[in-house]
Amino acid sequence: MTYSIGQVADKLDISPYTLRYYDKEGLLPFVDRNAAGRRRFKDNDFNFLEVIVCLKEAGVPVKQIGHFIDLCMTGDSTLHDRYDFLAEHEAQLEAKMARLQHTLDFLRWKKWYYKTALQAGTESIHYLPGTNHVDPAVHAEFNRLVANGARPKDLGAL
Amino acid sequence: MTYSIGQVADKLDISPYTLRYYDKEGLLPFVDRNAAGRRRFKDNDFNFLEVIVCLKEAGVPVKQIGHFIDLCMTGDSTLHDRYDFLAEHEAQLEAKMARLQHTLDFLRWKKWYYKTALQAGTESIHYLPGTNHVDPAVHAEFNRLVANGARPKDLGAL
DNA sequence: ATAGAATCTAGAGTTAACTCTAGGTCAAGC
DNA sequence: GCTTGACCTAGAGTTAACTCTAGATTCTAT
């Protein structure tokens, strides 16, 4: 069974333009061509495509993905490099997810900040008396609620 | 207490170029200037900067962050819009983290794939007999190990 | 007082990752 | 047989987010 570029594009929810661009950048050296020069993807190619999509989602630049594909095409002598490549990007992704968790925590505290302002009808309830400056005690109060067992995600819900 | 653009840049680990670019894009309307026209950041400005950095990390485009800052400068009439804005990006970030978790799972399965190939000295242990095509049973085997309680993160460790 | 560092603006340059255009070939349905 | 749509390449265009340059000004430390 083989697939045209359009069929692959539909399956992966990627445009044919993008697939050709990936090919130009060396990400798809495994794809066959028919007599007329059109790309014919095989079932096994989806194993590579899956990896490409995964690395893209992980934020790996196209050039580096191309390097990984090069390693794949070279054979068993590169197994260790391929392992290291994946381990490196696993670590980077773990670090990114930790950062995003902090970002999410912050977003939730700010949501609570606006929820309480909204309920009071004015943001000024959070200001130091006689200023437009946020009272640091407000964040401390939020943290206290969380420390007492409230879930950040719930605190911000209207 | 006020801070120069360079001091803020150091604190936030952002270049002064980038801060000026953000200003040009309307993200920093709250920053004062001294008599010579130089930016003077106040302590309270860090509340805004924190939000900007958070939204950037969450992947929100600069233009949209500018819109949020506009809402902030307008006053209490926009409290609901600001709440909705944060709620929307909270949801988007949650979705992104779920996708990244899948990506991480995939990366770990591939790491295990290469770990086992490495231990065998050849990737061909994963191929269907007489082909260069990966046996789908290999992924199934990994899933079985996970279902039996192994942690994906540990399975790939050398 | 003065040298060197930091800042200012306007605007040009860079980079990554697409995204599309032009001009042509190929294939499937009527 | 002919039309319509999918595909091809080469290369131009786009967009976001910086990043830097030039030329002028200002601040800081001797």
Side-chain angles (χ1 to χ4, degrees):
Chain A
M1 192 54 192
T2 67
Y3 308 85
S4 71
I5 196 172
Q7 290 171 321
V8 174
D10 286 345
K11 256 194 226 237
L12 302 184
D13 201 27
I14 291 178
S15 79
Y17 293 143
T18 302
L19 284 170
R20 288 191 202 101
Y21 162 69
Y22 287 167
D23 199 3
K24 213 184 308 193
E25 295 297 311
L27 269 57
L28 311 179
F30 48 82
V31 177
D32 292 338
R33 301 290 184 120
N34 68 9
R38 299 191 171 186
R39 293 173 185 82
R40 308 272 67 191
F41 292 76
K42 305 173 291 301
D43 281 312
N44 192 55
D45 293 349
F46 285 92
N47 289 320
F48 289 105
L49 291 168
E50 242 179 350
V51 171
I52 290 168
V53 167
C54 163
L55 293 173
K56 278 256 74 199
E57 177 73 33
V60 180
V62 166
K63 260 193 185 132
Q64 285 188 50
I65 299 176
H67 176 237
F68 182 79
I69 297 291
D70 282 349
L71 294 177
C72 289
M73 304 315 283
T74 298
D76 285 339
S77 64
T78 67
L79 282 172
H80 212 301
D81 289 341
R82 285 185 262 170
Y83 178 90
D84 288 347
F85 181 95
L86 295 183
E88 165 67 18
H89 289 292
E90 178 194 20
Q92 285 188 21
L93 185 49
E94 283 166 352
K96 180 195 223 157
M97 287 186 70
R99 282 200 312 279
L100 288 181
Q101 185 59 55
H102 287 135
T103 299
L104 189 54
D105 291 344
F106 185 88
L107 228 38
R108 285 172 173 163
W109 124 249
K110 271 291 164 177
K111 224 178 83 177
W112 174 84
Y113 174 97
Y114 283 118
K115 172 195 163 186
T116 47
L118 206 42
Q119 287 168 344
T122 174
E123 188 177 359
S124 63
I125 58 157
H126 294 320
Y127 294 161
L128 287 164
T131 74
N132 288 356
H133 297 173
V134 176
D135 184 347
V138 179
H139 199 162
E141 163 69 1
F142 177 81
N143 287 336
R144 201 185 57 73
L145 292 171
V146 172
N148 285 359
R151 282 181 309 183
K153 162 112 178 141
D154 297 336
L155 283 173
L158 276 181
Chain B
M1 191 56 190
T2 66
Y3 308 86
S4 70
I5 196 171
Q7 290 171 322
V8 174
D10 286 346
K11 256 194 225 237
L12 302 184
D13 202 27
I14 290 178
S15 80
Y17 293 143
T18 302
L19 284 170
R20 290 192 200 99
Y21 161 69
Y22 287 168
D23 199 1
K24 213 184 307 193
E25 295 297 311
L27 269 57
L28 312 179
F30 48 82
V31 177
D32 293 337
R33 302 290 185 121
N34 70 8
R38 299 193 168 186
R39 295 174 184 81
R40 307 272 68 189
F41 292 77
K42 305 173 289 302
D43 281 313
N44 192 55
D45 293 349
F46 286 94
N47 289 320
F48 288 106
L49 291 167
E50 242 179 350
V51 172
I52 289 168
V53 167
C54 163
L55 292 174
K56 278 255 75 197
E57 177 72 34
V60 180
V62 166
K63 260 190 187 138
Q64 285 187 50
I65 299 176
H67 176 238
F68 182 79
I69 297 291
D70 283 348
L71 294 177
C72 290
M73 305 316 282
T74 299
D76 286 338
S77 64
T78 66
L79 282 172
H80 212 301
D81 288 342
R82 286 184 261 169
Y83 178 88
D84 288 347
F85 182 95
L86 296 183
E88 165 68 18
H89 289 292
E90 178 195 22
Q92 284 188 22
L93 185 49
E94 283 166 352
K96 181 194 222 158
M97 288 187 69
R99 282 201 309 281
L100 288 180
Q101 186 58 55
H102 286 136
T103 299
L104 188 53
D105 291 344
F106 185 87
L107 227 38
R108 285 172 173 162
W109 125 248
K110 271 293 163 176
K111 223 178 83 178
W112 176 84
Y113 173 98
Y114 283 119
K115 171 194 163 186
T116 47
L118 206 43
Q119 287 169 342
T122 174
E123 187 176 0
S124 63
I125 58 156
H126 295 319
Y127 294 162
L128 287 164
T131 74
N132 288 356
H133 298 173
V134 176
D135 185 346
V138 179
H139 198 163
E141 163 68 3
F142 177 81
N143 287 335
R144 202 186 57 74
L145 292 171
V146 172
N148 285 358
R151 281 182 310 185
K153 163 113 178 139
D154 297 335
L155 283 173
L158 274 181

